């Protein structure tokens, strides 16, 4: 098991002790395959976004070699067009189960690579991963629409799906800013990316009509904040407007209205968004509430149906544990995590009005 001494940065009173954090990290490590892949759980599928989220949690816990192995898996198995498939059976790169290529899944590599570089200062790693980040970013931006939003995927045959998802585009906004930070570190300016970030941020903040209506889902509520596009008074207004709809006191955050189902991933992500907008007390409260989802092995159940008093589904996922650890790391002041999710030092892109 991971030593508690390596997880002291993940201690948060009322949420995790060092020993509890060590058990959670050990659970993610046990899920990781020897080739670096991190599926949801062994026997289930891997998707590139959740794989990256779990890898970031390993870096936050000081497990840098294992996180690097996860990123190397992505670099080895990138498609020629810069994408990855949406799902791989048990993390087996030779067995894709969903050949759609989702833009937010592909973009998220940049977030993980920047987080790993900030965690380790490893220039060799950055040099090795840059071609994969560059190719993935170019793939994603091929689907940017005239209004700035990002089409959400290509089908297996290459057909673009130009409809945009607010949650996905918000995640891409964060990823593009991290990609620009990587480009700056390498002294390789990417002016097209800067303009793309500006256009995307403007669409997220000012043009909700450019996205499919998924307002029943809590992710669409908080992800513009989590991704960094919305902050300040607009963020506070957004959170307060739907707090009572999505937050269940004592339990956590609903995944989708009106279902009586709170989920660990959404709860931890909301906590991270709250921290990013300066609401640390509310963030800690959410993390305390979600501890009823903690399993005996230190992992976290995906969700709980409170009308039926039932854990559902009967699964503990690496990404749920990962999102919890990242939220705790941010609240604990882990520099890499606060930089990536705080966003103050990430490039903001070009004002879309400047180039008209």
């Amino acid at each position: 098991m991971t030593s508690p001494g390596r997880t002291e940065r993940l201690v948060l009173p009322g949420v995790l002790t060092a020993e509890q954090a060590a058990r959670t990290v050990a659970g993610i490590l046990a899920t990781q395959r020897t080739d670096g892949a991190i599926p949801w759980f062994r026997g289930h599928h891997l998707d590139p976004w959740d794989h990256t989220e779990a890898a970031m949690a390993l870096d936050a816990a000081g497990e840098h070699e294992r996180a690097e192995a996860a990123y190397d898996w992505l670099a080895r198995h990138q498609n020629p067009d810069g994408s990855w498939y949406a799902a791989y059976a048990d993390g087996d790169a030779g067995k894709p189960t969903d050949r759609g290529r989702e833009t937010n899944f592909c973009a998220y590599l940049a977030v993980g690579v920047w987080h790993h570089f900030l965690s380790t200062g490893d220039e060799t790693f950055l040099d090795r991963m840059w071609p994969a980040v560059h190719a993935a970013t170019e793939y994603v931006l091929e689907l940017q629409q005239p209004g700035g939003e990002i089409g959400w995927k290509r089908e297996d045959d290459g057909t673009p799906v130009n409809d945009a998802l607010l949650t996905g585009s918000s995640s891409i906004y964060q990823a593009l800013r991290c990609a620009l930070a990587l480009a700056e570190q390498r002294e390789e300016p990417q002016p097209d990316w800067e303009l793309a970030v500006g256009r995307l941020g403007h669409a997220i903040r000012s043009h909700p009509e450019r996205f499919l209506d998924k307002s029943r889902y809590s992710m669409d509520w908080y992800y513009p904040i989590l991704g960094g596009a919305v902050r300040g008074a607009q963020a506070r207004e957004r959170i307060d407007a739907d707090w009572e709809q999505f937050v269940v006191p004592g339990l956590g955050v609903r995944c989708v209205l009106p279902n009586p189902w709170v989920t660990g991933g959404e709860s931890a992500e909301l906590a991270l968004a709250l921290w990013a907008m300066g609401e640390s007390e509310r963030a800690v409260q959410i993390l305390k509430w979600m501890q009823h989802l903690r399993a005996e092995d230190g992992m976290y159940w995906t969700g709980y149906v409170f009308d039926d008093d039932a854990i559902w589904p009967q699964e503990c996922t690496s990404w749920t544990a990962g999102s919890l650890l990242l939220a705790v790391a941010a609240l604990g002041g882990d520099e890499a995590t606060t930089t990536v999710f705080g966003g103050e030092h990430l490039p903001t892109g070009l004002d879309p009005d400047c180039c008209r």
Side-chain angles (χ1 to χ4, degrees):
M1 178 186 292
T2 296
S3 165
R6 299 192 70 181
T7 51
E8 289 179 354
R9 72 188 80 186
L10 298 177
V11 172
L12 186 62
V15 178
L16 286 181
T17 65
E19 291 77 13
Q20 288 173 329
R23 286 184 63 82
T24 302
V25 174
I28 297 175
L29 292 171
T31 303
Q32 188 176 31
R33 292 162 43 114
T34 57
D35 63 0
I38 310 177
W40 284 22
F41 52 89
R42 293 311 304 270
H44 200 58
H45 76 262
L46 173 152
D47 74 70
W49 197 101
D50 289 312
H51 166 91
T52 299
E53 185 87 340
M56 291 169 67
L58 293 181
D59 265 327
E63 295 286 349
H64 302 310
E65 290 184 6
R66 298 293 288 270
E68 184 173 343
Y71 296 123
D72 284 339
W73 185 93
L74 288 170
R76 288 196 307 273
H77 301 300
Q78 190 172 31
N79 292 323
D81 65 356
S83 71
W84 292 270
Y85 296 124
Y88 300 84
D90 195 35
D92 186 337
K95 297 180 179 178
T97 55
D98 182 346
R99 290 180 176 269
R101 288 161 283 160
E102 299 188 20
T103 48
N104 71 302
F105 283 11
C106 299
Y108 207 51
L109 173 67
V111 181
V113 169
W114 185 235
H115 184 262
H116 184 81
F117 175 72
L118 292 172
S119 298
T120 64
D122 188 346
E123 293 275 1
T124 300
F125 167 81
L126 190 156
D127 291 343
R128 190 171 73 249
M129 293 301 300
W130 173 246
V133 171
H134 189 279
T137 304
E138 290 290 309
Y139 168 78
V140 169
L141 291 182
E142 287 178 359
L143 274 78
Q144 186 163 38
Q145 304 303 301
E149 71 276 20
I150 308 289
W152 77 279
K153 71 172 182 176
R154 286 188 186 274
E155 302 286 9
D156 183 21
D157 64 1
T159 302
V161 179
N162 294 326
D163 291 332
L165 302 172
L166 181 58
T167 293
S169 284
S170 297
S171 177
I172 292 169
Y173 180 80
Q174 180 191 27
L176 291 177
R177 295 177 71 197
C178 289
L180 281 171
L182 289 162
E184 287 186 2
Q185 181 67 32
R186 290 180 54 81
E187 299 183 349
E188 295 189 23
Q190 302 291 329
D192 290 346
W193 296 5
E194 293 184 57
L195 182 57
V197 170
R199 293 170 59 214
L200 177 57
H202 177 73
I204 292 168
R205 287 186 291 272
S206 304
H207 292 282
E209 75 281 359
R210 294 178 184 171
F211 301 92
L212 294 176
D213 182 6
K214 301 289 183 180
S215 56
R216 293 174 54 230
Y217 292 83
S218 61
M219 294 176 79
D220 262 28
W221 168 50
Y222 64 75
Y223 242 91
I225 301 163
L226 181 60
V230 174
R231 292 289 164 85
Q234 188 179 4
R236 290 189 293 274
E237 291 170 6
R238 187 178 188 91
I239 289 298
D240 290 345
D242 287 328
W243 182 270
E244 293 186 0
Q245 285 198 92
F246 287 116
V247 175
V248 182
L251 296 178
V253 179
R254 292 178 189 256
C255 176
V256 56
L257 298 173
N259 299 2
W261 183 41
V262 294
T263 47
E266 277 78 358
S267 296
E269 287 183 338
L270 174 62
L272 194 49
L274 289 168
W275 164 82
M277 56 186 277
E279 295 277 357
S280 292
E281 289 187 9
R282 282 206 283 185
V284 172
Q285 185 66 73
I286 293 288
L287 294 179
K288 288 180 178 179
W289 287 345
M290 71 167 281
Q291 294 312 304
H292 70 100
L293 294 172
R294 185 175 176 88
E296 291 184 3
D297 64 356
M299 296 295 278
Y300 285 79
W301 299 104
T302 296
Y304 171 72
V305 182
F306 49 87
D307 277 2
D308 298 331
D309 189 25
I311 293 291
W312 184 84
Q314 288 284 324
E315 62 182 32
C316 291
T317 46
S318 57
W319 49 268
T320 299
S323 62
L324 179 279
L325 292 176
L326 288 171
V328 171
L331 283 157
D334 176 66
E335 185 175 356
T337 306
T338 58
T339 298
V340 166
F341 289 98
E344 290 87 352
H345 304 296
L346 291 176
T348 56
L350 298 175
D351 184 336
D353 291 330
C354 77
C355 302
R356 289 181 178 176

